Amino acid sequence: MHFWMLALRNLGRNTKRNLATGSAIAFGFAGILLLCAYAYRAKNYIGVYTIYGIHTGHLAVYARGGFERFGFEPGRFSLSPAQQEKVLSVLKNEPSVEIFERQIRGQGLIGNGCISLPFQAQGYEPEVDRALRSHPEVKNWMPHFNYLLAGQGMWRYPASVNPILLSKGLALALGKSRLYDEIGSAPPSAPDCSNPREQGSRDSNVQLLAGAWAGTLSAADGEVVGLYTTGFQETENSGILAPVSFLQKLFDTDRIAELAAAEVLE
């Protein structure tokens, strides 16, 4: 007790200095808490966005060499139907796997009847996309996340419609300001290319041309059902989201780029 009394008396001798020291400690501790909270929030937000928002999952299965070389030789470094079935049978019987999907990607040209622009396409399973958008982790860490700027998700349309989503920059360049729900399947008409953007706004139809994985050319028509943001300036003018089945038809293949799986979180 004697030492405690001496300590208290000593604190009273330099009140201003002790107050400044105590304030510095308190503010420093509060700053560390805020920094830790921010880092924790940012880590979880980025993790959820990567795993669920852009369909990366916790696990991705590629063909041998596919991670590095798929973009150069997709027909060779992709998963065949037999390989897909083998991986799917394992994922279906694995209790720790919550959800999984086939994915495909590629590039080509997209046009509105007058102009054509390059695109980078990512193919998802529509129902899996729907499940991930409403996943509890997304609602918890990204309650205001909404990649759609207009229209609706691919899962709301039958495969026969060939629904696709355009990134906002690409939609602007093609003049696709009116969507499938507004126009429907407009009858074909002779294009008036004196104003390409105005021509694009007449319907929701787009024409896609790509190199088939077997080495030939392939084309398909799609209907723009929504506009979205990629979140990255580099891809905002060329991004497309489409069902896996539609891109398989476009690339004339029954193969896929990879299988992605998300695990069950305790």
Side-chain angles (χ1 to χ4, degrees):
M1 288 297 296
H2 178 69
F3 288 107
W4 281 109
M5 293 298 296
L6 287 176
L8 290 174
R9 289 176 61 186
N10 190 50
L11 287 175
R13 294 174 56 188
N14 299 284
T15 307
K16 293 183 179 179
R17 183 189 66 184
N18 294 331
L19 181 61
T21 303
S23 299
I25 294 173
F27 283 115
F29 183 70
I32 292 173
L33 287 179
L34 290 173
L35 180 62
C36 291
Y38 172 79
Y40 178 73
R41 175 75 185 183
K43 173 180 176 295
N44 283 280
Y45 182 95
I46 294 172
V48 168
Y49 176 77
T50 303
I51 295 167
Y52 303 103
I54 58 176
H55 294 235
T56 302
H58 295 94
L59 171 70
V61 181
Y62 296 86
R64 185 182 297 275
F67 183 78
E68 300 89 358
R69 304 185 66 179
F70 171 82
F72 302 102
E73 297 181 80
R76 178 182 176 187
F77 296 98
S78 53
L79 293 171
S80 68
Q83 291 172 322
Q84 295 172 45
E85 287 300 320
K86 185 179 294 186
V87 177
L88 288 172
S89 65
V90 174
L91 295 177
K92 290 176 182 177
N93 296 301
E94 176 54 58
S96 63
V97 173
E98 178 184 15
I99 194 168
F100 52 86
E101 71 171 338
R102 301 178 307 151
Q103 296 183 8
I104 189 172
R105 59 184 182 275
Q107 56 278 329
L109 293 175
I110 182 171
N112 64 2
C114 291
I115 58 173
S116 296
L117 300 169
F119 71 80
Q120 291 283 340
Q122 179 69 48
Y124 297 142
E125 301 280 6
E127 287 303 321
V128 174
D129 186 46
R130 179 181 188 178
L132 292 179
R133 301 303 174 190
S134 59
H135 194 278
E137 287 293 302
V138 175
K139 291 184 176 181
N140 184 31
W141 293 104
M142 306 173 64
H144 305 296
F145 172 69
N146 185 14
Y147 74 111
L148 279 174
L149 302 175
Q152 304 186 76
M154 299 179 292
W155 60 83
R156 295 185 178 273
Y157 304 89
S160 58
V161 172
N162 291 339
I164 66 172
L165 305 178
L166 296 184
S167 59
K168 63 179 182 180
L170 184 57
L172 179 63
L174 292 172
K176 292 300 173 181
S177 57
R178 303 170 70 192
L179 305 178
Y180 179 78
D181 284 344
E182 181 182 353
I183 302 176
S185 296
S189 59
D192 177 9
C193 295
S194 59
N195 190 332
R197 287 191 179 182
E198 183 179 343
Q199 167 62 29
S201 66
R202 293 182 179 181
D203 56 42
S204 62
N205 182 264
V206 289
Q207 305 83 47
L208 295 93
L209 177 69
W213 289 6
T216 58
L217 286 177
S218 179
D221 279 19
E223 298 291 337
V224 181
V225 300
L227 308 181
Y228 77 104
T229 176
T230 65
F232 301 95
Q233 185 177 358
E234 293 80 2
T235 57
E236 201 67 272
N237 295 326
S238 60
I240 288 179
L241 295 182
V244 169
S245 58
F246 174 71
L247 291 184
Q248 283 181 319
K249 180 169 62 175
L250 175 63
F251 299 131
D252 192 21
T253 184
D254 56 3
R255 304 171 76 94
I256 61 170
E258 73 258 15
L259 274 156
E263 66 179 359
V264 177
L265 300 180
E266 299 295 339

